[in-house]
Amino acid sequence: MSDDSPVLEILTNTPTSETTSPAGTSKPTLDIASPSGSLSKTQSAIRSLSSILPTTTPPDLCTALSLLHDHEVASNISFLLRQPNSGAGDDNLCRWLYDTFQSGEPDLQLVVLRFLPIIAGLYLSRVSLSKPLAGFEAVLLALYAHETTSRAGQPITVNVPDLSHPSVYHESVSPTKNNSTAFNLAVLSPSLEPLGTVRSTKRARIVGVALELYYSKIFQMPIGSKIDFCDFCVVWAGHEADVGKDSDYGASELLGANESRERMGKEGRIPLPWELLQPVLRILGHCLLGTRENKELFDAAWAACRSLSARSIHDIDPRAILATGSLLRLGKMAMEPKDDYDPTEVQTSGVITI
Amino acid sequence: MESGELGGGREVREVFANGVSMKTAEVEAKLDEGNIQEAESSLREGLSLNFEEARALLGKLEYQRGNVEGALRVFEGIDLQAAIQRLQPSIAEKVPSRKGRSRTESMHAVSQHAASLVLEAIYLKAKSLQKLGRLSEAAHECKSVLDAVERIFYQGIPDAQVESKLQETVSQAVELLPELWKQAGCYHEAISAYRRALLSQWNVDNDCCTRIQKGFALFLLYGGVEAGPPSLAVQIDSSYVPKNNLEEAILLLMILMRKFILGKTQWDPSVMEHLTFALSLCCQTPVLAKQLEEIMPGVYPRVDRWNSLALCYSGAGQDKVALNLLRKSLHKHERPDDLTALLLAAKICSEDSNLAAEGVEYARRTINNAQGIDEHIKGVGLRMLGLCLGKQAKVSSSDFERSRLESEALKSLDEAIALDHNNTDLIFELGIQRAEHRNLDAALQYAKKFLDETGGSILKGWRLLALVFSAQQRLTDAEVVTDAALDETTKWEQGPLLRVKAKLKVSQSLLTDAIETYRYLLALVQAQRKSYGPLRKFTQVEDDKVNEFEVWHGLANLYSSISHWKDVEICLGKAKELKQYSVEALHTEGIMWEGCGQIEEASAAYINGLLLEPCYVPCKVLIGALMSKMGPMALPVGRSLLSDALRIDPTNHMAWYYLGMVYRDDGRIADAADCFQAASMLEESNPIESFGSIL
């Protein structure tokens, strides 16, 4: 349980793949503005990655973005990450992810973020198994530190508007009242303090902040990464997706589902405090309703919503019941066949005039 | 006839211009042959049109025929940008009758008509490009419609004079542009297009405006692209400017709700769902409740509304209001078997011993109704039943009743864990329940299991383990656990642990260490108060922060344990500055007076304490003890006070001890022996803080 180990020490003191990368690549202070610097960083990152992966990386990978969207690389990395003993302090892949993120190159950082769902998913589910997870922790701490710096530790707040106060989008008939009562200040993400190690009571917060970072880049993430995320939501919730009021599955299918719950529940179910659940739900909202094109992603997000909804009822958490309940209803509306009315289409008529 | 049948319901079209109409069959035939110019000239001749008009008409015809590629070819043959140039006011003023028309139309109308023609052509070009999947080109064309409108009608057109055709094109372009940018993957352009649509005056109708507002709100809420605040140019003094996506989305959704309520647009249930999602994400459920309350009756089934409101109020900590709503919705004539409502009601009741009996009913109904697809709820129902029964036992009037309820409670929790064996909340509750019954070995197992399953991530797990160890009088182990927990927390959350640590030191008579711990705790509390403004919310220890009062009170207890009455008085004075009426402080004060031999002041302090909190057992025990020493007249009063204390808290070893003394003085030696034995056994299993303090 007390798996907080001086991960940063392990990772920064050990020489990392010195043979393949030119000196200084892992130093975040390198001149990142120069394009040649970023190119060489990408090149060396790809070189050191190919020494880790079981198969050689395709030669046409030359930019960070091609690395981000390459299916073969993604499935190779996922395969390695999902190994039962991955994520320890001496895990080369975790070291690569850590170094790559610390390179400070925005596009390379996206590549690391792409695998956050798997890292966070496995990490939180494995915590109770008392395995060494310093590799995963190092990556998560790097993301947390990045977000802490870029936000200068400040909280993210939301001023919930009151319509009696005029806004850019509407006028108000009633005269302006005093400002202090007109708004409800909500804290979306509280202030951040720097953390050098994962203290267990901060674990959910660290992962939550990493997920906030992921959410801020989510429109650049490949579909596969989002699907990974949705799949882990089901595992975390500890309830199989087919539990829910509206399921129309037969008894035999339910039995099978119950078995899978038995199996999954043992390994994956984790405490879901609000500081973790809230960023999870924001990402899920995007996966379910942000992109309409991808059926596979929608289905994965739908399953995740149902699981988290069942979980929120088990936890009797009113906020979570409200949020997941509305996502479920919205998801169902999205599944209903839409009418074809397109207001931007010009009216057709037999008589054309000018 | 034949061709009509073959065409599968193809409409017969005609074109109409300058008061002349003409069938399109011939023109269409020419278009099908790919002969645009001939088609164009036959239109020009037939309808006396100029080149541009004829082309625009042809494009429109092709578009309506579904031949978007053809339409695009036709439109590409017109220099639309040059046409716009010509329409701009400076030119229009110089050449009033550009096309040589001898009509008497006003200048304004002519340019509106001409503009309408050109703009519609560009719009159709954009639509054609969209259908061909050339999205960013389409967006650029669509944008040029809006740019042109702004240039041509830079002074605006009075409402009454807007040609409806022109307005339609403008509205459609305003609505289409953000969609096109979105489809093209240009998210930031989409955001500015949305803002341009909503912040400039396009005179779009209500429905169109509603659609744009909803589209933008959803894009902000789910698009995953941070929009940033609107530019300074649109910000008006004293009006509210949203500064991030969530604020802007909530504002737009609220405006939409307002429109529905005022009957300006049709009810759209999804808007309320989006708003529910957005507001629950930022924990603003009271605002959500207000929105729900504003909706007219008849829109939602009232039970749904009550249940949603109950969730909102409960989410904001207003459980009493929530429970009242749930009582309505769970009434036998409404929807008595709604599982979520039943569970929420049971949970609220489980936190208040006076409501626990009611909660038992809700929990039983949950269990009975958790069937079929909802079978998985049964475990939660059993868990709630166990909690409510346990709470009910605390206020039961007889020992018999109490033990019956307690054993039922344990049975329910055990059944629940058989169904939900990995529910960590349940494991914790079982640990507390066992510990309160002083079944410490079982409690230890659950406390360890909880820590393992949660990976030590929840503070109360550490505290439970430390308290169980302290109850087993394994003080060193308790301290090891507390130190480990301190390592796993950051300093702002260490308050409750430091308090436990200080008390452990006191128990081990390591007073200097204890004082040192209290001093550190005091510094921490004061630093915390300074460094956090009103923004401190939403961390897991929000509720059990240690306050300064507790530190001074703890120190007073410490000095009281070594009979340093002067120091006790100083510490109590400090404590009272922070909290004037406190039963805990009065309790310590009574001990202090008693220690100084001032019995009257002592009993006054105890009685004041009981007046503040009639069920506060430690005061009851001490006043009972005092009374029993006051001679035969007061002895029965003392005894009944002690019995009453034991009714409330049967595990209070001090009460057993003093009751034993009473029996001894009464000469009832056997009873006295029983009491002393109970007292001694309980003392051996007494935690340094009550287990209930963790909850």
Side-chain angles (χ1 to χ4, degrees), chain A residues 159 169 200-201 286 344-345, chain B residues 63 123 222 247-248 376 456 488:
Chain A
N159 245 333
Y169 292 122
S200 64
T201 55
H286 166 85
T344 65
E345 191 55 85
Chain B
Y63 185 82
Y123 181 72
Y222 307 112
E247 283 182 8
E248 201 162 353
H376 67 110
E488 296 293 344

Side-chain angles (χ1 to χ4, degrees), chain A residues 78-259:
Chain A
S78 302
F79 174 77
L80 283 184
L81 284 175
R82 287 172 194 268
Q83 292 301 303
N85 291 317
S86 63
D90 58 353
D91 188 322
N92 281 327
L93 182 57
C94 287
R95 188 171 291 162
W96 179 82
L97 288 164
Y98 176 85
D99 288 341
T100 306
F101 190 83
Q102 297 294 53
S103 72
E105 190 59 40
D107 287 345
L108 280 176
Q109 290 182 334
L110 288 181
V111 178
V112 179
L113 274 180
R114 187 244 173 271
F115 298 100
L116 176 65
I118 301 180
I119 294 170
L122 290 172
Y123 172 64
L124 289 179
S125 295
R126 280 184 191 172
V127 157
S128 62
L129 305 177
S130 317
K131 280 184 176 179
L133 295 166
F136 286 155
E137 288 186 340
V139 179
L140 291 167
L141 278 170
L143 302 185
Y144 178 88
H146 178 83
E147 188 68 1
T148 307
T149 319
S150 65
R151 233 195 252 178
Q154 292 300 306
I156 299 176
T157 57
V158 168
N159 245 333
V160 175
D162 180 333
L163 289 196
S164 61
H165 203 90
S167 78
V168 285
Y169 292 122
H170 82 295
E171 288 160 8
S172 173
V173 265
S174 63
T176 311
K177 289 183 282 186
N178 64 344
N179 279 345
S180 57
T181 58
F183 298 104
N184 300 292
L185 191 69
V187 179
L188 204 58
S189 172
S191 51
L192 298 171
E193 47 189 325
L195 293 174
T197 56
V198 177
R199 292 168 191 258
S200 64
T201 55
K202 283 280 155 191
R203 189 178 291 130
R205 178 75 182 131
I206 290 168
V207 176
V209 170
L211 289 176
E212 282 170 10
L213 177 62
Y214 180 78
Y215 180 72
S216 69
K217 310 280 180 214
I218 198 160
F219 68 100
Q220 290 163 284
M221 285 297 135
I223 297 286
S225 171
K226 298 179 196 173
I227 292 177
D228 288 340
F229 177 81
C230 295
D231 291 347
F232 270 109
C233 285
V234 178
V235 177
W236 284 350
H239 294 275
E240 83 279 15
D242 296 318
V243 164
K245 286 184 179 172
D246 315 300
S247 173
D248 45 7
Y249 286 80
S252 58
E253 279 165 285
L254 260 181
L255 206 67
N258 275 333
E259 277 168 18

Side-chain angles (χ1 to χ4, degrees), chain A residues 11 16-21 44-57 73 76-81 83 86 90-100:
Chain A
L11 283 160
T16 57
S17 47
E18 286 292 354
T19 44
T20 48
S21 59
S44 74
I46 292 173
R47 265 200 305 278
S48 52
L49 179 63
S50 55
S51 71
I52 297 168
L53 294 184
T55 55
T56 49
T57 44
V73 170
N76 272 325
I77 294 182
S78 302
F79 174 77
L80 283 184
L81 284 175
Q83 292 301 303
S86 63
D90 58 353
D91 188 322
N92 281 327
L93 182 57
C94 287
R95 188 171 291 162
W96 179 82
L97 288 164
Y98 176 85
D99 288 341
T100 306

Side-chain angles (χ1 to χ4, degrees), chain B residues 27 30-31 35-44 58:
Chain B
V27 181
K30 283 178 180 155
L31 283 172
N35 219 334
I36 298 176
Q37 284 188 349
E38 273 186 37
E40 176 209 315
S41 56
S42 67
L43 273 184
R44 287 175 72 169
L58 269 186

Side-chain angles (χ1 to χ4, degrees), chain B residues 299-495:
Chain B
V299 175
Y300 274 117
R302 60 181 179 174
V303 178
D304 286 350
R305 194 202 306 234
W306 287 333
N307 286 344
S308 303
L309 278 173
L311 287 168
C312 290
Y313 282 116
S314 172
Q318 300 184 44
D319 281 341
K320 284 267 145 56
V321 187
L323 185 61
N324 279 332
L325 287 157
L326 290 169
R327 281 173 179 151
K328 282 150 84 82
S329 80
L330 289 170
H331 189 269
K332 64 173 189 266
H333 292 140
E334 303 290 346
R335 207 182 294 159
D337 299 334
D338 187 289
L339 289 175
T340 312
L342 282 169
L343 280 176
L344 183 60
K347 187 192 176 200
I348 293 171
C349 292
S350 76
E351 281 153 14
D352 183 341
S353 35
N354 295 317
L355 296 170
E358 189 183 342
V360 169
E361 286 312 305
Y362 296 134
R364 291 223 160 98
R365 255 151 77 187
T366 313
I367 298 165
N368 289 338
N369 289 305
Q371 284 164 353
I373 209 73
D374 293 319
E375 184 114 27
H376 67 110
I377 302 286
K378 199 172 173 187
V380 201
L382 283 165
R383 181 180 143 218
M384 283 302 131
L385 181 61
L387 292 181
C388 288
L389 286 168
K391 205 79 180 178
Q392 199 189 353
K394 292 208 163 103
V395 291
S396 58
S397 50
S398 70
D399 279 349
F400 172 73
E401 178 82 358
R402 182 205 304 274
S403 59
R404 183 182 66 80
L405 289 171
E406 277 174 353
S407 65
E408 269 188 64
L410 280 179
K411 197 169 137 255
S412 299
L413 289 181
D414 285 338
E415 281 176 46
I417 196 82
L419 291 173
D420 278 349
H421 52 89
N422 49 18
N423 185 327
T424 47
D425 291 336
L426 184 52
I427 294 168
F428 181 79
E429 283 147 5
L430 273 163
I432 290 275
Q433 201 104 350
R434 293 288 196 278
E436 285 187 331
H437 295 143
R438 302 293 164 88
N439 184 350
L440 296 177
D441 291 334
L444 186 65
Q445 294 310 313
Y446 283 117
K448 282 182 172 167
K449 186 159 188 236
F450 180 77
L451 267 187
D452 281 346
E453 296 269 318
T454 59
S457 64
I458 296 171
L459 192 58
K460 64 182 184 182
W462 293 100
R463 288 177 61 200
L464 177 60
L465 187 61
L467 290 190
V468 171
F469 274 139
S470 82
Q472 291 182 321
Q473 310 306 316
R474 293 162 68 180
L475 297 180
T476 335
D477 288 338
E479 214 179 320
V480 169
V481 170
T482 313
D483 285 337
L486 285 168
D487 281 342
E488 296 293 344
T489 39
T490 53
K491 62 179 175 184
W492 302 122
E493 293 151 350
Q494 289 174 345

